[in-house]
Amino acid sequence: MTTAIHFGAGNIGRGFIGKLLADAGIHVTFADVNPQLVEALSSRHSYPVHIVGQEVRTDTVTGVDAIDSRRPELLELIANTDLITTAVGPTVLTLIARTLAEGLQRRFERGNTAPLNIIACENQVRGTTFLKGEVLKHLDARYLPELEQFVGFVDSAVDRIVPPSTDQSDPLAVTVETFSEWIVDQTQFRGPVPAIPGMELTDNLMAFVERKLFTLNTGHIITAYLGALAGYRTIGEAIADPAIRAQVKAAMQESGAVLIRRYGFDQAQHQAYIEKILGRFANPHLVDEIDRVGRQPIRKLGPEDRLIKPLLGTLEYGIDNANLLKGIAAAFCYRNDDDPQAVELQQRLATEGLKTALAHYTGLDAGSVVAEQIEQRYLALSH
Ligand SMILES: NC(=O)c1ccc[n+]([C@@H]2O[C@H](COP(=O)([O-])OP(=O)(O)OC[C@H]3O[C@@H](n4cnc5c(N)ncnc54)[C@H](O)[C@@H]3O)[C@@H](O)[C@H]2O)c1
Ligand SMILES: O=P(O)(O)OC[C@@H](O)[C@@H](O)[C@H](O)[C@H](O)CO
């Protein structure tokens, strides 16, 4: 039987990736640090997935197990498994890299030369390649040839809106939208590519990663930050506000103009992609908190992430960017005392001022015209 270890039994882990693997007949062991999730999954071996959208139904995922990712027994699983996937959050990949390196070392010491593919399913451009770099920091260099020969680090783009479930009756229940898309880089596998319905292959991954991250996630984050400024609690409330919807759509069109120029996407098809995403944001069956979408603002202000990378593209190609600039300014207005990154952002803003904080987090030049434009928009939004 094909086995997989999935790091991160959270929303997307249970609601999308783990479900796809289990539905494909793969035995999935979730590795997580949440004791309630680990205990429930390892005792029940199944959980409900509420699919809500044009259709509403509940599927039951079966044949799963779980382990605390800090337990030494996990190394034995890594030494023998066929597939590893992750959905822990980009900031956590560094933390699981040591465990992966130790498990891989045990695999190689055992002489296990069966191919193993590792796929990070994170909102991060080439997150698996980043994870490989972190693993190499902990792997004994003598095993580098085996790693290169037998272990594929496969980058992916993953798309399904999965907020925390509103089903309070079951801690394992997860509520997902109907839409889903998981695209992986077929050039990076070792051995045969596993046949997993719902896992799409491409040799042009960057186009799909950037299309998703810099359309859906760009629109999502601006919806969240403009919605927070307007006093809304959920994405649904915010996108129902005509003024916010118009600004979000315009920002997605600005980032879309960059994508069309960079990847040659068809204009009409990309416009339809934007409209579909706006409809997904408005899904009346999903309750998606602004604080979930707006979480970790420092990560999302990074130069390779959903706000700044599209902005840099508009500067490169000379494309309008007024709405992206407003979204970036709104990021600096975001407050959430329960989000350490939001707290840090506000502290740095208060002590160093907008332009210095902007330069620190985004890499933009504090003395640039664009920094001035963002500061002007920030002052207008924050007063
Ligand atoms: N939820 C979505 O709509 C969605 C959609 C696409 C992509 N993503 C991406 O998927 C990833 C996970 O997002 P999520 O919404 O599922 O988050 P989540 O918080 O629901 O799940 C993350 C899980 O990782 C676990 N975890 C934390 N540290 C760990 C460790 N050291 N070892 C093992 N598990 C650990 C947490 O306990 C949690 O269960 C992120 O990169 C996110 O950007 C999320
Ligand atoms: O998961 P994050 O924190 O990178 O971004 C929050 C949401 O925008 C994200 O989870 C979306 O729901 C998801 O990317 C949809 O595919």
Side-chain angles (χ1 to χ4, degrees):
M1 176 166 206
T2 302
T3 67
I5 300 167
H6 178 85
F7 285 80
N11 295 325
I12 204 77
R14 299 196 318 279
F16 188 22
I17 305 303
K19 182 176 191 301
L20 281 191
L21 300 182
D23 289 352
I26 294 170
H27 180 273
V28 179
T29 300
F30 287 100
D32 204 298
V33 293
N34 179 319
Q36 288 75 30
L37 285 175
V38 171
E39 193 284 325
L41 285 165
S42 53
S43 58
R44 290 170 43 188
H45 305 292
S46 72
Y47 59 89
V49 177
H50 304 305
I51 299 167
V52 295
Q54 298 91 329
E55 57 171 331
V56 178
R57 74 169 197 269
T58 295
D59 288 357
T60 300
V61 176
T62 58
V64 299
D65 213 328
I67 184 172
D68 187 305
S69 72
R70 295 159 294 195
R71 292 195 60 84
E73 293 85 344
L74 180 57
L75 303 184
E76 197 61 27
L77 296 180
I78 295 171
N80 295 298
T81 197
D82 304 300
L83 177 67
I84 294 174
T85 51
T86 82
V88 292
T91 60
V92 179
L93 289 177
T94 300
L95 304 181
I96 67 174
R98 178 187 294 277
T99 300
L100 283 173
E102 290 171 359
L104 289 171
Q105 203 149 305
R106 181 173 301 193
R107 187 184 184 94
F108 300 145
E109 286 163 352
R110 292 270 177 75
N112 183 350
T113 59
L116 166 66
N117 290 293
I118 299 174
I119 312 175
C121 306
E122 317 285 349
N123 274 342
Q124 180 179 3
V125 175
R126 293 214 176 270
T128 317
T129 298
F130 170 78
L131 176 60
K132 179 177 181 179
E134 295 300 296
V135 169
L136 290 177
K137 292 177 183 174
H138 302 286
L139 186 75
D140 187 318
R142 66 186 141 127
Y143 293 112
L144 196 51
E146 283 92 340
L147 183 97
E148 294 300 340
Q149 186 176 359
F150 303 120
V151 183
F153 285 83
V154 181
D155 288 307
S156 80
V158 56
D159 188 4
R160 176 170 249 182
I161 299 176
V162 186
S165 180
T166 51
D167 179 349
Q168 302 299 324
S169 67
D170 183 344
L172 290 183
V174 61
T175 301
V176 305
E177 66 167 333
T178 307
F179 178 88
S180 65
E181 185 177 72
W182 186 28
I183 303 174
V184 300
D185 188 335
Q186 67 192 52
T187 69
Q188 296 175 308
F189 281 90
R190 293 291 183 273
V193 177
I196 301 168
M199 182 178 81
E200 299 172 39
L201 307 180
T202 183
D203 60 2
N204 186 21
L205 182 77
M206 279 307 287
F208 291 99
V209 167
E210 292 209 351
R211 183 181 69 162
K212 188 269 176 172
L213 276 178
F214 306 146
T215 311
L216 183 138
N217 294 106
T218 299
H220 228 185
I221 196 69
I222 295 175
T223 303
Y225 292 151
L226 292 181
L229 274 171
Y232 296 121
R233 185 179 62 87
T234 69
I235 293 296
E237 292 167 350
I239 205 69
D241 180 320
I244 291 178
R245 180 189 173 93
Q247 291 170 89
V248 168
K249 181 174 178 179
M252 290 163 79
Q253 286 169 334
E254 290 166 3
S255 65
V258 174
L259 294 166
I260 289 164
R261 175 75 176 271
R262 184 167 292 156
Y263 294 107
F265 293 149
D266 175 83
Q267 173 98 22
Q269 285 178 9
H270 195 70
Q271 188 58 37
Y273 181 68
I274 289 172
E275 291 294 343
K276 182 168 183 176
I277 287 170
L278 290 167
R280 292 169 59 194
F281 291 171
N283 186 337
H285 302 283
L286 284 182
V287 180
D288 203 359
E289 303 270 349
I290 276 173
D291 287 342
R292 181 191 78 84
V293 175
R295 65 189 171 187
Q296 297 184 334
I298 291 173
R299 164 164 69 95
K300 294 169 185 176
L301 281 165
E304 292 298 318
D305 218 290
R306 63 207 72 183
L307 289 169
I308 304 304
K309 188 74 180 287
L311 173 68
L312 294 174
T314 65
L315 298 175
E316 178 183 349
Y317 299 133
I319 291 170
D320 288 345
N321 55 24
N323 295 277
L324 286 169
L325 291 173
K326 185 171 184 180
I328 294 163
F332 285 89
C333 300
Y334 178 62
R335 294 176 178 279
N336 179 352
D337 294 341
D338 297 326
D339 183 328
Q341 289 195 11
V343 171
E344 178 193 319
L345 182 66
Q346 289 303 318
Q347 286 170 343
R348 188 177 292 271
L349 187 60
T351 55
E352 298 180 6
L354 188 281
K355 287 180 179 176
T356 304
L358 178 75
H360 177 80
Y361 291 119
T362 68
L364 293 172
D365 178 347
S368 64
V369 169
V370 75
E372 178 65 26
Q373 291 170 329
I374 292 169
E375 183 177 62
Q376 292 307 317
R377 284 162 174 80
Y378 168 74
L379 293 172
L381 287 172
S382 55
H383 287 87

